[in-house]
Amino acid sequence: MLDQRLREGTTTVLPEAIHGMGGVGKTQLAIEYAYRHQSEYDIVWWIPAERPGQIGQALVELAQRLGLVTTTEANIAGPAVREALREGRPYSRWLLIFDNADNPEQVRHYFPQGGNGTILVTSRNRRWGQVGGSLEVDVFTREESKELLRRSGPPLRDEEADALAEALGDLPLALEQAAAWRAETGMPASEYLRLFENKRMELLEVAPPPDYQLPVAAAWNVSLDHLETRSPAALRLLQLCSYFAPDPISRSIFSGLGNSSIFPELDAALNDPMRLARAIREVNRYSLARIDHRTNSIEMHRLVQLVLNNRMTPEEQSRMRHGAHTLLAAADPKTPVSPASWPRYAELYSHVIASDAMKSDQPWVRQLVRNIAEYLYFWGDHDVSVDFSEQAWQSWLAIFGEEDQQTLLMGQWLCYMYWVVGRFDDAARLVAHLREVYERTAPADQEDTREDALDALQLEAAVRRVEGRFATGAELDRIAYERAHRAFGEEDPTTLNIAHNFGVSLRHAGDFRQALELDRSTLALKLRLLGREDRRTLITENSVATDVRETGDYVGARALQEPILATCRDMFGHGNPTTIETMRQLSEACRKEGDHLRALELATEAHAQFTRRYGDTHPQSLAAALTLSVALRQNGDLQAARTRGLKACEGYRQIYDQHHPHVLSADVDLAVTLRLLGQPEEARRLDETALASLADRLGAGHPLALICAINLASDLAALGLHEEARRRGEDTLALCRSTFGEDHPTTLMCAANLSVDLASVGAEDQAADLRRDTLDRMTRVLDAPRQEFESGMGHPATAQFREGLRANCDIDPLPL
């Protein structure tokens, strides 16, 4: 029947789901189908799907199997796999089996959207029938049950097989266990039925399980009673495994007990490879768990775990859970940032959740929980990291309280993750809570020296930046920097990290010269203490290049940023976020330096890579879209620039407040494109609204407000309002000279436009003087460095000015 249903049509969008209660053999049916029809597929891939993190890891492994040139990061490999399967690269006939996928909403977006393959889902959830085809798996027919029972063990008469099948409820998992028991012991059917009935009655008297679980529990208790007598160590091993996930448990995890203790008989097995091997052999004899010798792992059905758990006393349960936590903590590589550790963390992830490790009070277990949260981020599954971190934060709040240090650290991490995924309101609320706790609990003599409190202060500064409160963010970072400098000295890694963040805030506050001075000092220290190959050094080196660009040295900025990009590619790879962001910023440097074709090439690639990694609504994707929009406009493709610009404006409004400087900056850039497309009135409306908000929030002399004002003057001139344009230009030029200096390119653009407006209102002499002075400065500031760099090529802005064309000023939102 399953074969027929799968042949009825394409199932890549609407999968075929096998659903039914636990123990009826859904997974076995999927395995049997894959086995019988393997010749019809080029590749068959099994995907554990109970938790999203497991799906991501399976897709990473599939990417490697498909030979895709990609990273081991989930948010890169996953989309690459889906696209390759959709296109049939390198295989057009594929079968994906999502096993135990109980939540359609969590799982469905991992499916390829097209192609010639097949998707098969196993689940206990009937709701899959609303997504695609659905096949319910029930218990065996009586004849199927009797056939399974007759395959092994002593011969059975028909009435004996029928009686056994009746007692076992025709449930495949229970039947399999009974058959394995009879095969191993040779016990007559009548004796097995007597033992089974005794166990069934015991279960009914104590805590009766659901009807469909009763046969499984009774059948397993028959075997477990025997194992308890024959091999106590084997029984204890099974009890321990009941606190892991119903996924493969690597035998290497059992080697981490060390000097800890769970139960004496179990301790002896865990500390002796030979005794452990004997215990596993006993488990295998009675089919009490699935032993996979290829992967050297043990796996247990979730219903069997429940049976084992229910047999234990509260004390035994507590000790086994504690033992599982101890072994998991010992298996922690303690390097969540390292790709080499990610496969181990992928294995630990599901066991940490299943064992309730978040509720452990063991320090190393709590550290493991934090490391899993960080691994999920560095591995690239940001949404899963947020969910996991939220669960840990809430658990620790309830158990340990808000003043517990580990709880506070998890709160900081969760705040950072909110910031990463653009949940800025949640980040703001959480950081306010964290700061209140730190201020309330910090001893007065430790206010300046607690690193966790300094981290919280920096987090608050970052949140204020995403709120658009740049001056407040800079003040918080200044306080953190001064405290760290006093407490630890300028060469301490904590101080260097805070110094870098202070530079970020200074740039957003518009103080580019102070940012450049601080970043150069920080870079010199990092080069001496960490070396250039350290990521922390490289990001500060990139900050220096950005500062150089914003202070007006476009050629110098490009010359700095080109080798930084090359180093990022060598160190991190082409698809790493740090590499992509460096590429985007190099595009901006190239555009301002005058190389518009190179800028467009870099902007196109950066935008494609960010959207492939994060989708098109992530903050970094939106910044890349805006960079691409401006690059398209500078290359003459106004319609494409308008399309990209509109999408960037819409996207920014979805994640930031409508008065956020990034939102208004996107409006200012779009307004330039609209004016060039012959829509000066719409451009004026955008610029006037943006200028009012920017001046109110940042001040009229902030660089963003000044760029907006320059463009507004151009809107007024395009509408024939030359006197208004002149007045706007004169006011803005005075502020530009104060903020940027007389020779900054932005000041020169403002002066160039004002000279045109002066001529338009009849002030010819004043216009000529300003034009002559501005042209001399532009030649010196823009042309001369570029001619040396580009072998005689002048700057396009100077050429446009000579032709009497107005200059357009762009805003490149800085990374928050």
Side-chain angles (χ1 to χ4, degrees):
M1 181 182 291
L2 178 60
D3 176 42
Q4 179 182 352
R5 294 175 71 104
L6 289 174
R7 291 177 183 274
E8 287 177 354
T10 300
T11 60
T12 55
V13 177
L14 300 177
E16 186 69 33
I18 304 172
H19 72 85
M21 62 186 179
V24 295
K26 300 179 295 295
T27 296
Q28 286 74 14
L29 178 59
I31 292 172
E32 185 65 19
Y33 173 82
Y35 176 75
R36 292 188 183 186
H37 297 274
Q38 58 184 313
S39 63
E40 300 171 17
Y41 298 103
D42 300 316
I43 187 168
V44 176
W45 207 253
W46 191 270
I47 302 174
E50 184 173 7
R51 298 178 180 89
Q54 296 174 291
I55 302 175
Q57 179 62 28
L59 293 180
V60 166
E61 294 167 358
L62 178 54
Q64 298 168 346
R65 177 65 177 80
L66 295 176
L68 301 181
V69 180
T70 184
T71 71
T72 56
E73 295 169 87
N75 53 2
I76 292 294
V81 165
R82 292 194 293 273
E83 184 65 12
L85 294 178
R86 186 185 68 81
E87 296 179 353
R89 295 182 289 109
Y91 306 120
S92 60
R93 302 179 308 161
W94 44 265
L95 170 63
L96 302 183
I97 302 173
F98 288 79
D99 185 41
N100 201 32
D102 280 349
N103 190 327
E105 290 74 23
Q106 281 188 338
V107 175
R108 190 176 179 183
H109 74 273
Y110 290 99
F111 295 167
Q113 298 301 304
N116 295 320
T118 299
I119 292 176
L120 186 58
V121 172
T122 74
S123 177
R124 289 168 292 173
N125 193 336
R126 291 176 177 269
R127 285 193 297 119
W128 278 103
Q130 301 170 12
V131 177
S134 180
L135 174 64
E136 184 169 6
V137 180
D138 204 346
V139 297
F140 278 177
T141 65
R142 183 54 51 84
E143 287 306 315
E144 289 171 330
S145 299
K146 292 192 290 186
E147 181 184 350
L148 188 153
L149 290 168
R150 290 192 184 105
R151 285 180 184 172
S152 56
L156 281 172
R157 298 192 306 275
D158 188 72
E159 59 270 21
E160 291 178 322
D162 190 75
L164 280 173
E166 177 69 24
L168 295 165
D170 296 305
L171 194 66
L173 187 62
L175 291 162
E176 182 182 30
Q177 180 56 37
W181 168 264
R182 294 187 66 253
E184 181 61 32
T185 65
M187 180 176 285
S190 58
E191 179 63 15
Y192 183 85
L193 280 170
R194 185 185 65 79
L195 292 174
F196 178 88
E197 184 61 23
N198 289 340
K199 289 292 128 187
R200 193 179 74 85
M201 294 307 297
E202 287 178 15
L203 289 168
L204 289 172
E205 290 173 3
V206 182
D211 288 345
Y212 78 92
Q213 292 182 7
L214 185 58
V216 174
W220 268 72
N221 276 313
V222 170
S223 299
L224 294 172
D225 279 354
H226 181 75
L227 189 67
E228 186 172 15
T229 302
R230 180 182 176 91
S231 178
L235 177 65
R236 292 298 190 193
L237 180 63
L238 287 175
Q239 291 173 334
L240 178 67
C241 290
S242 74
Y243 280 96
F244 287 77
D247 302 314
I249 309 166
S250 172
R251 281 182 63 173
S252 64
I253 289 179
F254 297 128
S255 63
L257 186 64
N259 294 324
S260 300
S261 176
I262 306 175
F263 282 96
E265 58 270 34
L266 179 58
D267 299 343
L270 295 179
N271 287 312
D272 184 339
M274 298 301 294
R275 291 187 180 185
L276 179 63
R278 284 198 295 270
I280 291 175
R281 190 177 302 116
E282 288 296 322
V283 167
N284 195 41
R285 286 180 65 187
Y286 298 97
S287 295
L288 296 171
R290 178 172 171 266
I291 312 298
D292 190 330
H293 296 290
R294 293 173 302 172
T295 60
N296 206 18
S297 64
I298 301 175
E299 186 175 353
M300 187 182 296
H301 194 283
R302 67 183 68 251
L303 284 185
V304 178
Q305 290 181 315
L306 185 62
V307 171
L308 280 157
N309 196 268
N310 289 338
R311 284 173 58 96
M312 287 186 275
T313 65
E315 181 191 359
E316 288 176 319
Q317 292 173 349
S318 176
R319 291 171 69 173
M320 285 301 177
R321 187 188 302 276
H322 183 88
H325 294 165
T326 299
L327 294 177
L328 290 171
D332 182 1
K334 300 178 178 60
T335 51
V337 69
S338 171
S341 299
W342 294 347
R344 171 61 89 176
Y345 280 117
E347 178 185 6
L348 296 176
Y349 161 71
S350 60
H351 298 309
V352 163
I353 295 175
S355 68
D356 266 346
M358 291 178 184
K359 297 179 180 178
S360 172
D361 61 358
Q362 298 180 64
W364 285 111
V365 178
R366 298 184 71 187
Q367 182 63 54
L368 169 62
V369 171
R370 284 181 53 204
N371 287 346
I372 291 286
E374 293 184 21
Y375 142 73
L376 289 167
Y377 162 69
F378 288 113
W379 179 53
D381 211 330
H382 296 169
D383 289 334
V384 176
S385 179
V386 169
D387 290 343
F388 184 89
S389 302
E390 282 181 327
Q391 292 178 46
W393 161 251
Q394 293 296 336
S395 293
W396 290 0
L397 270 181
I399 298 170
F400 307 108
E402 62 183 10
E403 298 180 7
D404 171 75
Q405 186 177 20
Q406 288 273 40
T407 302
L408 287 168
L409 291 173
M410 180 55 76
Q412 287 186 29
W413 176 258
L414 176 58
C415 185
Y416 174 68
M417 288 310 305
Y418 283 151
W419 187 85
V420 165
V421 300
R423 290 173 57 177
F424 300 131
D425 289 342
D426 290 328
R429 282 191 291 270
L430 182 51
V431 80
H433 171 80
L434 293 172
R435 187 174 188 187
E436 187 276 327
V437 175
Y438 278 122
E439 289 177 346
R440 172 163 42 85
T441 59
D445 60 345
Q446 294 183 20
E447 182 182 25
D448 289 356
T449 60
R450 284 184 59 179
E451 289 189 42
D452 53 357
L454 289 174
D455 288 342
L457 198 59
Q458 291 184 89
L459 262 177
E460 184 176 0
V463 169
R464 299 301 168 241
R465 289 198 298 272
V466 300
E467 290 176 338
R469 297 164 59 185
F470 293 161
T472 303
E475 177 62 15
L476 290 169
D477 271 330
R478 181 192 63 77
I479 293 170
Y481 176 65
E482 289 176 352
R483 289 180 179 178
H485 199 279
R486 284 196 304 269
F488 310 123
E490 66 175 6
E491 296 185 356
D492 186 87
T494 297
T495 307
L496 291 174
N497 181 59
I498 294 174
H500 172 86
N501 292 338
F502 186 23
V504 173
S505 282
L506 287 171
R507 273 195 298 282
H508 281 93
D511 197 341
F512 301 130
R513 284 188 286 270
Q514 187 181 348
L516 177 58
E517 180 181 349
L518 176 62
D519 285 337
R520 278 178 169 162
S521 173
T522 305
L523 177 60
L525 290 169
K526 286 185 174 182
L527 285 169
R528 179 161 57 84
L529 298 171
L530 305 174
R532 189 170 186 268
E533 300 306 309
D534 191 286
R535 182 179 181 275
R536 293 167 291 180
T537 303
L538 206 58
I539 61 173
T540 299
E541 188 174 356
N542 196 52
S543 292
V544 170
T546 303
D547 297 333
V548 169
R549 185 189 78 210
E550 295 302 323
T551 52
D553 183 1
Y554 299 151
V555 170
R558 178 178 181 177
L560 288 172
Q561 216 137 32
E562 292 273 15
I564 295 173
L565 178 59
T567 302
C568 285
R569 284 171 169 164
D570 289 342
M571 286 178 59
F572 312 125
H574 288 248
N576 183 272
T578 301
T579 305
I580 305 169
E581 177 59 21
T582 303
M583 185 190 312
R584 185 186 73 82
Q585 294 196 35
L586 176 58
S587 168
E588 293 168 354
C590 289
R591 190 186 73 241
K592 294 203 169 192
E593 184 268 334
D595 190 345
H596 295 160
L597 285 174
R598 173 70 171 152
L600 179 59
E601 173 190 328
L602 291 166
T604 301
E605 184 177 354
H607 179 258
Q609 293 212 40
F610 268 140
T611 53
R612 188 181 307 124
R613 171 179 283 268
Y614 298 129
D616 57 8
T617 60
H618 189 277
Q620 287 188 290
S621 301
L622 293 172
L626 198 56
T627 300
L628 178 56
S629 172
V630 177
L632 288 165
R633 168 162 39 85
Q634 292 284 29
N635 281 273
D637 193 344
L638 296 180
Q639 290 295 343
R642 177 182 178 277
T643 299
R644 291 290 181 196
L646 281 170
K647 289 183 178 179
C649 289
E650 293 168 359
Y652 273 129
R653 278 179 166 78
Q654 291 176 12
I655 59 175
Y656 297 116
D657 176 81
Q658 63 177 340
H659 298 294
H660 192 285
H662 278 21
V663 173
L664 302 173
S665 297
D667 286 349
V668 171
D669 288 339
L670 176 61
V672 175
T673 302
L674 294 176
R675 174 163 37 83
L676 295 176
L677 282 168
Q679 300 174 255
E681 189 58 54
E682 179 63 14
R684 176 187 180 181
R685 184 189 66 78
L686 286 173
D687 281 331
E688 284 185 337
T689 302
L691 182 58
S693 290
L694 289 168
D696 178 65
R697 178 166 288 203
L698 305 177
H702 191 279
L704 300 185
L706 293 175
I707 291 172
C708 181
I710 293 170
N711 288 336
L712 177 56
S714 293
D715 301 336
L716 295 169
L719 290 166
L721 303 173
H722 299 294
E723 185 58 39
E724 289 186 44
R726 179 191 66 79
R727 287 198 300 271
R728 174 65 66 185
E730 287 178 339
D731 293 344
T732 304
L733 181 58
L735 289 171
C736 281
R737 286 170 172 165
S738 174
T739 296
F740 294 113
E742 293 196 351
D743 285 342
H744 191 283
T746 301
T747 304
L748 298 179
M749 299 303 107
C750 183
N753 288 350
L754 178 57
S755 72
V756 175
D757 293 329
L758 287 168
S760 297
V761 298
E764 296 289 350
D765 292 343
Q766 190 179 355
D769 290 343
L770 183 57
R771 176 180 175 82
R772 185 166 46 254
D773 177 70
T774 302
L775 186 57
D776 287 345
R777 293 176 188 273
M778 289 177 72
T779 302
R780 174 165 41 85
V781 171
L782 294 177
D783 284 4
R786 192 167 192 270
Q787 286 169 348
E788 181 178 347
F789 182 73
E790 294 281 353
S791 304
M793 296 292 292
H795 197 285
T798 309
Q800 287 181 336
F801 181 47
R802 288 194 176 99
E803 295 173 10
L805 301 176
R806 298 187 73 93
N808 299 305
C809 292
D810 307 308
I811 298 178
D812 299 304
L814 297 165
L816 294 168

